Amino acid sequence: EVQLVESGGGLVQPGGSLRLSCAASGFTFSSYEMNWVRQAPGKGLEWVSYISSSGSTIYYADSVKGRFTISRDNAKNSLYLQMNSLRAEDTAVYYCARDSDHRDGYIYYDAFDIWGQGTMVTVSS
Amino acid sequence: DIQMTQSPSSLSASVGDRVTITCRASQSISSYLNWYQQKPGKAPKLLIYAASSLQSGVPSRFSGSGSGTDFTLTISSLQPEDFATYYCQQSYSTPPVTFGQGTRLEIK
C-alpha cells in the first residue's frame, strides 16, 4: 500500500524547535519530489516547502523561509521538516504530500497525489 | 504569486443535485489546475489534475473544466459522501504552489 506517515508534532513554546518526519512506503520514494503543506485550525491549505527527488532543489514559502529546513534521506525513505524559531502562527496540522507528474504528450502536470494523515503542531506558552 | 479565488465559499445542496464550484486564477495558468476534496479531520484527496483529468479511483460524477484563468469543478449527482470542502490549486508558476480558500459543501 502506498502510504505516508507523519510524526514528530506536539506542543512547543514560541521560539522553540521541532522536527517533523514523514515515512514513505509502497513506492520508490527516491523517484518523487515531496512537499510539506500545513493547515491552521479552521483554515485552508498553505504550501510550506518543496524538495526535489535528489534533494538538490529546495523551495520555501516566504512565511517560513530562514526558519524551516526541509530534507530527505532516500536510503531511509524519509522526509523531514526542521522547524526553528516557531511562532504562534505556525500552529497547524502539517501534511507531507507526494508530488506526482502526469504526462500529456510533452507536457507534465504536477499534483499532490498522496498525502499523509497529518501531524499537529501547537505553538503556545 | 498567483492568487486563486474560489466561489462560492460555502454551498448548501441536496443529495442528487448537480453542483458547480468555480476557481479563478489571478493570471493565466493554462491547464495547470488541480482539485482536492477534504473531509473533516482527514487529509486532502486529489480528485482532478490538469484541469479536467480524473484521478484514478475517483467516481465519474466528478468532472473538471476550464483553462486560462477560469475553472469549474462539477459534481453531476451529489452523493452523501461528497459533502466536504473542496480546494483548487495551481501548479503553473511555482514556487509558491497556491491554493484557493476552499468551498465548503454542506447538506441542505
Side-chain angles (χ1 to χ4, degrees):
Chain A
E1 180 190 4
V2 174
Q3 197 173 5
L4 296 170
V5 178
E6 300 96 337
S7 60
L11 175 63
V12 61
Q13 292 187 338
S17 298
L18 214 52
R19 188 194 195 207
L20 305 184
S21 299
C22 170
S25 59
F27 64 98
T28 305
F29 178 72
S30 60
S31 297
Y32 288 87
E33 303 159 0
M34 297 294 295
N35 293 267
W36 287 98
V37 177
R38 69 184 180 183
Q39 186 170 37
K43 302 298 184 181
L45 301 170
E46 179 190 15
W47 171 80
V48 172
S49 186
Y50 158 94
I51 187 168
S52 62
S53 57
S54 67
S56 60
T57 301
I58 285 172
Y59 301 122
Y60 298 100
D62 287 345
S63 58
V64 306
K65 201 172 294 181
R67 300 187 299 122
F68 289 12
T69 302
I70 191 172
S71 62
R72 65 190 296 160
D73 186 336
N74 286 340
K76 294 183 177 180
N77 293 330
S78 292
L79 174 73
Y80 306 101
L81 187 68
Q82 177 67 43
M83 304 186 296
N84 298 331
S85 303
L86 282 162
R87 306 166 180 168
E89 54 265 35
D90 296 319
T91 294
V93 175
Y94 284 74
Y95 297 100
C96 57
R98 190 177 81 170
D99 198 325
S100 187
D101 285 336
H102 301 267
R103 181 180 174 181
D104 181 2
Y106 296 103
I107 301 175
Y108 288 85
Y109 295 94
D110 283 330
F112 298 169
D113 67 337
I114 303 295
W115 296 65
Q117 85 288 354
T119 188
M120 182 71 203
V121 173
T122 302
V123 184
S124 175
S125 55
Chain B
D1 298 357
I2 296 176
Q3 308 303 315
M4 307 300 295
T5 304
Q6 291 181 230
S7 61
S9 295
S10 63
L11 172 62
S12 294
S14 301
V15 172
D17 284 354
R18 180 183 180 89
V19 167
T20 297
I21 298 169
T22 298
C23 179
R24 176 166 288 176
S26 60
Q27 65 185 74
S28 178
I29 58 170
S30 183
S31 295
Y32 291 83
L33 190 283
N34 305 315
W35 288 99
Y36 300 86
Q37 175 194 65
Q38 187 180 33
K39 296 181 179 179
K42 300 295 186 181
K45 172 187 174 182
L46 177 64
L47 297 177
I48 301 281
Y49 63 90
S52 61
S53 296
L54 198 66
Q55 173 70 353
S56 176
V58 174
S60 59
R61 63 181 179 273
F62 291 92
S63 63
S65 65
S67 67
T69 61
D70 295 315
F71 302 86
T72 59
L73 172 70
T74 300
I75 309 172
S76 60
S77 178
L78 269 175
Q79 298 302 300
E81 60 268 29
D82 300 337
F83 292 95
T85 300
Y86 293 85
Y87 294 92
C88 62
Q89 173 233 329
Q90 68 84 19
S91 60
Y92 176 77
S93 176
T94 62
V97 166
T98 48
F99 292 90
Q101 81 278 15
T103 295
R104 184 177 178 184
L105 178 54
E106 301 174 317
I107 300 173
K108 183 182 288 184

